[in-house]
Amino acid sequence: MKKAAFIGVGNMGGALARAACRAVGPDQVVVANRTPGKAEALAAELGCSFARDNAEAVREAGYLFLGVKPQVMCSLLYTLAPVLAERYAAGEDKVLVSMAAGLRIEDMRPQLSGAGYDVPLVRIMPNTCAAIGRGMTAVSMEEWVDESVLEGVREILSATGRVEPISEGLMDQFSAVAGCGPAFVYPYIEALADGGVAAGLPRKQALEYAAQTVLGAAAMVLESGRHPGQLKDEVCSPGGSTIAGVAELERGGLRAAAINAVLAAYRRTAELGK
């Protein structure tokens, strides 16, 4: 297993670095950041090593996870290219892993021309639930890249939750559902808790019950393999309380609002990638 370096340890980069330490061990993880002190503090917390600059991170690790904003990704790749060329001449293969939303591999590839060879370039899209090992991460890469590269990425990210390969042509759609999705679910959990408070539950308990119920319902979909509509029907007794509540959700346009939220996120992601 080659070491993994995380260049840019903001919220997402830091979460993935933590997960990597759990998955492959702190001795296999390097962190770097534009502000070196931030990387040094995270390294001290996790027991991993830190690099004082990006070039040092490239020299130390085989898998380079790039956790920078989309608008600075191409300039970062341009500055990494000469270091990649140096290491390739020394017989070292590197893998670049971008987590920049909206940036396609073909958009980033030209910035690596200075490397002098086709560096394997992988694109991932994690979500924030990766921080607690319950995330959903999509992985895409060019067809010529060896399958072992995908397996290496999956091993490093194995402690983040589900990690699945996807066609890059579907990455923006994935992002609209899984990347943005937690922010769509949180207001729903809060609303369920608000309803519980309105009915007389104490706030703390209402929030706990609502969150656990959403967690359990999601697990039922994933683990049972049954359609959500079937699972919903199994809870709804004729003329009962549950179907009365479902009718109110339909009257309030819950489904339409969720669909429109995903489509709005998808359109905005596509705009950001242009």
Side-chain angles (χ1 to χ4, degrees), residues 1-6 15-31 46-49 61-63 65 150-160:
M1 183 66 217
K2 298 177 181 177
K3 278 190 176 182
F6 292 84
L16 296 189
R18 287 182 171 86
C21 285
R22 296 195 301 271
V24 298
D27 60 321
Q28 296 298 309
V29 176
V30 181
V31 293
L46 300 179
C48 64
S49 59
Y63 285 82
F65 288 78
L150 172 61
E151 291 310 309
V153 172
R154 294 181 79 165
E155 181 180 358
I156 293 166
L157 299 181
S158 61
T160 65

Side-chain angles (χ1 to χ4, degrees), residues 74-169:
C74 287
S75 61
L76 171 64
L77 294 173
Y78 183 80
T79 61
L80 293 182
V83 191
L84 292 167
E86 168 201 309
R87 302 321 303 162
Y88 185 69
E92 296 178 11
D93 292 326
K94 306 292 181 178
V95 175
L96 298 180
V97 184
S98 166
M99 59 186 85
L103 272 184
R104 297 171 298 177
I105 292 174
E106 66 181 46
D107 298 327
M108 296 181 281
R109 176 62 66 191
Q111 309 306 317
L112 292 169
S113 59
Y117 74 107
D118 287 334
V119 185
L121 182 54
V122 179
R123 184 179 171 195
I124 66 170
M125 181 53 59
N127 67 15
T128 55
C129 303
I132 60 166
R134 297 294 182 90
M136 181 69 244
T137 300
V139 183
S140 61
M141 59 188 192
E142 293 157 304
E143 290 183 2
W144 61 267
V145 177
D146 191 86
E147 191 73 12
S148 64
V149 169
L150 172 61
E151 291 310 309
V153 172
R154 294 181 79 165
E155 181 180 358
I156 293 166
L157 299 181
S158 61
T160 65
R162 293 182 177 233
V163 180
E164 297 294 335
I166 190 174
S167 166
E168 192 183 16

Side-chain angles (χ1 to χ4, degrees), residues 213-263:
T213 297
V214 171
L215 177 65
M220 283 287 286
V221 172
L222 292 173
E223 295 177 20
S224 73
R226 300 203 294 277
H227 189 279
Q230 179 185 349
L231 292 170
K232 178 261 297 178
D233 289 346
E234 291 173 1
V235 185
C236 294
S237 302
S241 303
T242 305
I243 192 62
V246 168
E248 285 301 316
L249 292 176
E250 295 290 355
R251 187 175 293 114
L254 175 70
R255 292 173 189 258
I259 292 168
N260 290 334
V262 171
L263 291 176

